[in-house]
């Protein structure tokens, strides 16, 4: 034990690491605390929240642990809302096929579906198309074959009407 100038002894804990509970953030910066809870509920990563809100990763984890039930409820609420938006958007797309508002309905539906998949931990199916492009030698070879075939199958000159 050490004694400071005022004569009182300092308590030393077995584990000298600080314990992050989020209480100090709630007490001193309540707006930031609520923003961290909101962003966690929207599915943001801890690193993004740290940079956006200027807090440490440990603080974000502590807030997440402390508000786990609220964050889960918020995620479920957002998922339900986005599911409704996706359903309404799909219905709107079906109604507006061939009309001008289809593009906007398609974009809104796609955003809602992507966000809903992100919040439920699913990933969107990606379809990657590989288009093999011919090399310069292959292009030259194809041109040569095309020229030979064109020479063979050139239209014949007009035959006389009498058949001779």
């Amino acid at each position: 034990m050490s004694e400071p100038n005022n004569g009182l002894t300092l308590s030393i804990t077995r584990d000298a690491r600080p314990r992050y509970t989020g209480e100090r953030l709630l007490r001193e910066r309540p707006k930031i605390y609520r923003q961290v809870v909101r962003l966690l509920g929207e599915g943001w990563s801890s690193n993004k929240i740290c940079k956006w809100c200027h807090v440490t990763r440990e603080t974000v984890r502590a807030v997440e642990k402390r508000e786990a039930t609220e964050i889960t409820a918020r995620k479920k609420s957002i998922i339900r809302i986005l599911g409704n938006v996706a359903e309404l958007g799909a219905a709107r797309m079906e109604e507006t096929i061939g009309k001008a508002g289809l593009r906007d309905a398609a974009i809104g539906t796609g955003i809602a579906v992507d966000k809903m998949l992100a919040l439920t931990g699913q990933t969107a199916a990606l379809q990657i198309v590989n288009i093999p492009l011919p090399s310069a030698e292959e292009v030259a070879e194809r041109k040569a074959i095309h020229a030979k075939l064109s020479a063979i199958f050139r239209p014949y000159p007009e035959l006389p009407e009498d058949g001779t």
Side-chain angles (χ1 to χ4, degrees):
M1 298 285 199
S2 65
E3 293 187 27
N5 292 338
N6 63 1
L8 300 174
T9 59
L10 292 175
S11 64
I12 298 177
T13 60
R14 291 182 188 168
D15 190 6
R17 291 180 297 166
R19 299 190 194 286
Y20 295 93
T21 61
E23 290 177 22
R24 183 174 172 199
L25 183 64
L26 177 61
R27 186 176 59 244
E28 295 178 5
R29 298 164 59 196
K31 287 182 180 178
I32 298 296
Y33 183 89
R34 286 191 303 270
Q35 186 176 20
V36 169
V37 171
R38 183 180 57 81
L39 295 175
L40 284 168
E42 291 178 5
W44 283 41
S45 71
S46 295
N47 287 338
K48 273 188 174 179
I49 295 172
C50 293
K51 291 176 184 173
W52 189 262
C53 299
H54 304 290
V55 294
T56 64
R57 198 172 322 151
E58 290 79 14
T59 302
V60 173
R61 288 185 190 140
V63 170
E64 183 176 19
K65 186 176 178 182
R66 182 179 174 148
E67 301 288 339
T69 55
E70 182 182 333
I71 291 169
T72 304
R74 184 166 177 80
K75 279 186 180 181
K76 286 180 183 177
S77 170
I78 291 172
I79 289 169
R80 188 176 59 251
I81 291 168
L82 291 173
N84 291 340
V85 168
E87 187 175 336
L88 292 171
R92 172 94 170 111
M93 282 177 49
E94 186 177 16
E95 292 170 6
T96 59
I97 283 289
K99 296 179 183 174
L102 176 64
R103 181 178 142 294
D104 296 333
I107 292 170
T109 303
I111 291 169
V113 169
D114 285 347
K115 189 67 172 175
M116 186 177 66
L117 290 174
L119 287 171
T120 57
Q122 301 172 10
T123 57
L126 295 177
Q127 296 191 4
I128 299 173
V129 178
N130 290 325
I131 301 173
L133 296 175
S135 65
E137 294 84 24
E138 291 172 332
V139 170
E141 182 182 352
R142 286 181 186 175
K143 284 183 179 181
I145 292 171
H146 180 71
K148 288 178 186 176
L149 289 173
S150 292
I152 293 171
F153 293 107
R154 259 192 206 113
Y156 292 106
E158 294 290 324
L159 294 175
E161 299 253 343
D162 61 1
T164 56

